[in-house]
Amino acid sequence: MSARHTKVLIIGSGPAGYTAAIYAARAMLNPVLIAGMEQGGQLMITTDVENYPGYADPIQGPWLMEQMLGQAKHVGAEIVSDLVTNVDLSSRPFHVKTDSGQDWIADVIVIATGAKAKWLGIESEKAYQGFGVSACATCDGFFYRNKDVIVVGGGNSAVEEALYLSNIAKSVTVVHRRDSFRSEKILQERLFAKENIKVEWNSEIAEITGEQLYPPVPAAVNAVKVRNTKTGEVTARPIDGIFVAIGHAPATELFANQLRMKPNGYIWTAPDSTATNIEGVFAAGDVTDDTFRQAVTAAGMGCMAALEAERFLAGVLHVAQAAE
């Protein structure tokens, strides 16, 4: 299989990747997007989306990603259903290999491989993802107005999620497997000052249960079993929603020891830019964004990456022409 050349190769197919493809295609750069195994990213496991601009009524996450895919194709982006297995960033043009055996040569690479929320790993958890189990309070907290929710975790993310939810939910219970938080002291002080937040120390979620009210719609969470990590005692209680806040893992394995990373493993980019430490390589979306992790910010960074890629290529062409 002979190698294929492209000006812009986009790795990843969430909001950042699709938006980069749309802008690059409209700039007549003929981008190629390699979608990966989980085309559409985290929105594919998200049900109601109310915070993506442009839609008066709630939309479904998978539907939104289908629309982005269709738009990218419509403006001329080539979408390839394949999985990148190796990336060589040691020299430009860059070399990429995929699972199908295809070799790609790219003048510019946009990395949009995203990040995955870390889950608890209990058997009942996956069944309720999107139906009472969430990893994003900013995304889904609105649906729990005046309801009772649990936040699982003990770091900055968990405390911030609990503080955010305390302004929406009737009550917030933080379940933490240890007897103290790892979060910043100022965040802890704010949390302890909230009357509708309580903490259950030395505790973990043992099981999540739900009730199917409207078949064939999947069951929604209605209760949880909490295990004391010291005594082993398990208690059940009613609950409306569970927010898992034990961290995210950016998909950066392909770029290890090649790109500069932040201390927490996300790809480093220059301030107010998607440029990495290697010229011609840009990173957009959750693979670099360890702060906001929203579909709309990922899309915005995808736009930035495409515009920066266009300018970079224009500069390279100008230098080449001047040298002739």
Side-chain angles (χ1 to χ4, degrees), residues 1-5 95-96 101-105:
M1 191 180 297
S2 59
R4 287 189 59 190
H5 173 266
H95 292 262
V96 172
Q102 180 66 58
D103 291 333
W104 293 90
I105 300 172

Coordinates of all heavy atoms in Angstrom, one line a residue, residues 1-5 95-96 101-105:
M1 N 0.9 -1.2 0.0 CA 0.0 0.0 0.0 C 0.9 1.2 0.0 O 1.7 1.4 0.9 CB -0.9 0.0 1.3 CG -2.0 1.0 1.2 SD -3.1 1.0 2.7 CE -3.8 -0.6 2.6
S2 N 0.8 2.0 -1.0 CA 1.7 3.2 -1.2 C 1.3 4.3 -0.2 O 0.1 4.4 0.2 CB 1.6 3.8 -2.6 OG 0.3 4.1 -2.9
A3 N 2.3 5.1 0.2 CA 2.0 6.2 1.2 C 1.2 7.3 0.5 O 1.3 7.5 -0.7 CB 3.3 6.7 1.7
R4 N 0.3 7.9 1.3 CA -0.5 9.0 0.8 C 0.0 10.3 1.5 O 0.3 10.3 2.7 CB -1.9 8.8 1.1 CG -2.6 7.7 0.2 CD -4.1 7.8 0.5 NE -4.7 9.1 0.2 CZ -6.0 9.4 0.5 NH1 -6.7 8.6 1.1 NH2 -6.4 10.6 0.2
H5 N 0.0 11.4 0.7 CA 0.4 12.7 1.2 C -0.8 13.6 1.4 O -1.8 13.5 0.7 CB 1.4 13.4 0.3 CG 1.7 14.8 0.7 ND1 1.0 15.9 0.2 CD2 2.6 15.3 1.6 CE1 1.5 17.0 0.7 NE2 2.4 16.7 1.6
H95 N 5.3 11.5 9.6 CA 4.9 10.2 9.1 C 4.0 9.5 10.1 O 4.2 9.5 11.3 CB 6.1 9.3 8.9 CG 7.0 9.8 7.7 ND1 6.9 9.2 6.5 CD2 7.9 10.7 7.7 CE1 7.8 9.8 5.7 NE2 8.4 10.8 6.4
V96 N 2.9 9.0 9.6 CA 1.8 8.4 10.4 C 1.5 7.0 9.8 O 1.3 6.9 8.6 CB 0.6 9.3 10.5 CG1 -0.6 8.6 11.2 CG2 0.9 10.6 11.2
G101 N -2.7 -0.5 7.8 CA -1.4 -0.6 7.0 C -1.1 0.6 6.2 O -0.1 0.6 5.5
Q102 N -2.0 1.6 6.2 CA -1.7 2.8 5.4 C -0.7 3.7 6.0 O -0.7 3.9 7.2 CB -3.0 3.6 5.2 CG -2.9 4.8 4.4 CD -2.6 4.5 2.9 OE1 -3.3 3.8 2.3 NE2 -1.5 5.1 2.4
D103 N 0.2 4.2 5.2 CA 1.2 5.2 5.6 C 0.8 6.6 5.1 O 0.3 6.7 4.0 CB 2.6 4.9 5.1 CG 3.2 3.6 5.7 OD1 2.9 3.3 6.8 OD2 4.0 3.0 5.0
W104 N 0.9 7.5 6.0 CA 0.5 8.9 5.7 C 1.7 9.8 5.8 O 2.5 9.7 6.8 CB -0.7 9.4 6.5 CG -2.0 8.7 6.3 CD1 -2.4 7.6 6.9 CD2 -3.0 9.1 5.4 NE1 -3.6 7.2 6.5 CE2 -4.0 8.1 5.5 CE3 -3.1 10.1 4.5 CZ2 -5.2 8.2 4.8 CZ3 -4.3 10.2 3.7 CH2 -5.3 9.2 3.9
I105 N 1.8 10.8 4.9 CA 2.8 11.8 5.0 C 2.1 13.1 5.1 O 1.3 13.5 4.2 CB 3.8 11.8 3.8 CG1 4.5 10.5 3.7 CG2 4.8 12.9 3.9 CD1 5.3 10.3 2.4

